[in-house]
Amino acid sequence: MYAFTLERPQALADVQKAVAAGGKPLAGGQTLLASMKLRLSAHEQLVDLGACAELRGIRREGDALVIGAMARHAEVGASDLVRSAYPALADLASRIGDRQVRQMGTIGGSVANNDPAACYPSAVLASGATVQTTKREIAADDFFQGLFTTALEEGELITAIRFPLPQQAAYEKLRQKASHFPLVGVFVARFAGNGVRVAITGAGNGVFRHAGLEAALSNSFTPEAAAGVAIDDSGLNSDLHATAAYRAHLIGVLAQRAVTKALG
Ligand SMILES: Cc1cc2nc3c(=O)[nH]c(=O)nc-3n(C[C@H](O)[C@H](O)[C@H](O)COP(=O)(O)OP(=O)(O)OC[C@H]3O[C@@H](n4cnc5c(N)ncnc54)[C@H](O)[C@@H]3O)c2cc1C
C-alpha cells in the first residue's frame, strides 16, 4: 500500500470540499482498500464518509424509500422499514457477500463502484430508482454506463438512492462459491400501471435490462411467461466460471425463480 492521508469530516459541506480538493471517497473500503493494498490504485488522500450523518439513514417518502449512501448492507437487510416496504431489497442486501462485507459495505459504494457482478445495481435499475448526488438526481437508466463506469463526475458524491416501491419484486442469484458475488443475478419488479422491469447482473459488461423478459412479464407475470422467452447469449460474458451459453440459461432459470418468489 502506498502512503496516504485520511480525513473524516462530519458535515456534508466539508466532505464535499475535501473531495473537490482531490480526496478519494472511502465508504466501507471493501473494494477501495483491497485495491489499494494490492497497489492496483493509489490515492494520496482518502475522505472517510463514515462520520457524516447526512449520508446515513433510511426513510419512507410517500411511495418511495430513500436510503442514505452510507447505509451498510447489514443495516438495509435488517431494517424493519425496508423489510416491510420493499422486502426484495432487504433480502438482496442480507445475502450480499459474507458477514464482514455486509457489516462494512455500503449501498453508495456498491452503486458508485458498479462492479459488473454486484447485486445492488440490479435492484436500482429494475426499480427505476434515482441516484441522488451532491449535484443532481440521475435516473438509473442513465446512471450505469458499463464496466465500473457510471454517470458520476469527478468530485460528485452519491448522497442517497430513491427507490419507487413496486407491487411485487424479487431477486434471485447463483452465487459463486469463492467470491460470493453472483455468477448471474436477476431482479424483477412489477409496478402498478408501469409494467415490469427486469435487470440482470453478472452476465455482461455491466448491469442491463432485458427487453424480452420485460415484455413477456408485463403481459403475464408468471414463471411460464419467463420460461417462454429465448435468451440470446451473444454479448454475454464467457470466462473460467461459465460460458455465455450457461449464463444465458441462468438468466432464464433465475427469472422464473424470481417471478415465483415475487408471487409468494
Ligand atoms: C469478499 C467480498 C464479497 C462480496 N460479495 C458481494 C456480493 O455478493 N454482491 C455484491 O453486490 N457485492 C459484493 N461485494 C462488494 C461489496 O458489497 C461492496 O459494496 C463493494 O465492495 C463496495 O464497497 P464499499 O461500500 O465498502 O465502498 P468502498 O470500497 O469504500 O468504495 C468503492 C468505490 O466507490 C466510491 N464511493 C464510495 N462511496 C461513494 C459515494 N457515496 N459517492 C461516490 N463514490 C463513492 C469509492 O471512492 C470507491 O471508488 C463483495 C466484496 C467482497 C470484498
Side-chain angles (χ1 to χ4, degrees), residues 1-2 31-43:
M1 202 179 231
Y2 297 100
T31 293
L32 182 56
L33 293 184
S35 73
M36 289 174 70
K37 280 182 186 167
L38 292 168
R39 297 196 169 193
L40 295 173
S41 67
H43 304 283

Side-chain angles (χ1 to χ4, degrees), residues 69-94:
M70 282 302 290
R72 317 268 176 188
H73 308 329
E75 189 185 337
V76 174
S79 157
D80 287 339
L81 182 54
V82 184
R83 284 158 70 106
S84 63
Y86 200 165
L89 193 62
D91 174 57
L92 175 150
S94 66

Side-chain angles (χ1 to χ4, degrees), residues 81-106:
L81 182 54
V82 184
R83 284 158 70 106
S84 63
Y86 200 165
L89 193 62
D91 174 57
L92 175 150
S94 66
R95 290 191 290 139
I96 290 176
D98 52 34
R99 274 173 191 246
Q100 176 185 317
V101 170
R102 291 194 293 274
Q103 287 299 328
M104 295 303 293
T106 66

Side-chain angles (χ1 to χ4, degrees), residues 27-262:
Q30 295 303 291
T31 293
L32 182 56
L33 293 184
S35 73
M36 289 174 70
K37 280 182 186 167
L38 292 168
R39 297 196 169 193
L40 295 173
S41 67
H43 304 283
E44 287 179 5
Q45 190 171 8
L46 295 187
V47 183
D48 186 349
L49 310 181
C52 180
E54 290 153 274
L55 295 174
R56 291 204 299 269
I58 300 173
R59 60 187 186 277
R60 176 96 186 232
E61 277 184 6
D63 58 358
L65 205 55
V66 180
I67 302 185
M70 282 302 290
R72 317 268 176 188
H73 308 329
E75 189 185 337
V76 174
S79 157
D80 287 339
L81 182 54
V82 184
R83 284 158 70 106
S84 63
Y86 200 165
L89 193 62
D91 174 57
L92 175 150
S94 66
R95 290 191 290 139
I96 290 176
D98 52 34
R99 274 173 191 246
Q100 176 185 317
V101 170
R102 291 194 293 274
Q103 287 299 328
M104 295 303 293
T106 66
I107 190 169
S110 174
V111 170
N113 194 48
N114 193 20
D115 186 298
C119 300
Y120 262 131
S122 69
V124 172
L125 190 58
S127 306
T130 305
V131 180
Q132 301 181 335
T133 80
T134 40
K135 292 186 180 167
R136 57 201 164 130
E137 303 213 332
I138 309 171
D141 285 319
D142 301 324
F143 184 82
F144 300 106
Q145 301 185 346
L147 199 67
F148 297 107
T149 308
T150 69
L152 285 177
E153 292 166 359
E154 207 57 39
E156 184 173 17
L157 276 174
I158 297 175
T159 52
I161 315 278
R162 185 178 192 278
F163 290 91
L165 297 175
Q167 286 186 324
Q168 288 159 313
Y171 177 64
E172 278 294 325
K173 65 178 174 178
L174 181 72
R175 215 168 73 145
Q176 276 191 34
K177 292 274 190 288
S179 72
H180 293 192
F181 273 96
L183 193 58
V184 172
V186 178
F187 199 105
V188 299
R190 184 188 198 195
F191 289 89
N194 291 330
V196 175
R197 290 172 67 107
V198 180
I200 318 286
T201 187
N205 228 5
V207 65
F208 62 90
R209 288 173 63 187
H210 197 286
L213 284 169
E214 290 188 351
L217 291 171
S218 294
N219 190 37
S220 166
F221 195 67
T222 59
E224 292 75 20
V229 177
I231 312 289
D232 183 5
D233 67 5
S234 55
L236 299 188
N237 289 346
S238 204
D239 56 27
L240 79 169
H241 301 294
T243 61
Y246 183 58
R247 282 191 162 90
H249 176 70
L250 278 180
I251 290 173
V253 171
L254 294 170
Q256 292 170 58
R257 287 185 191 167
V259 173
T260 304
K261 192 168 166 182

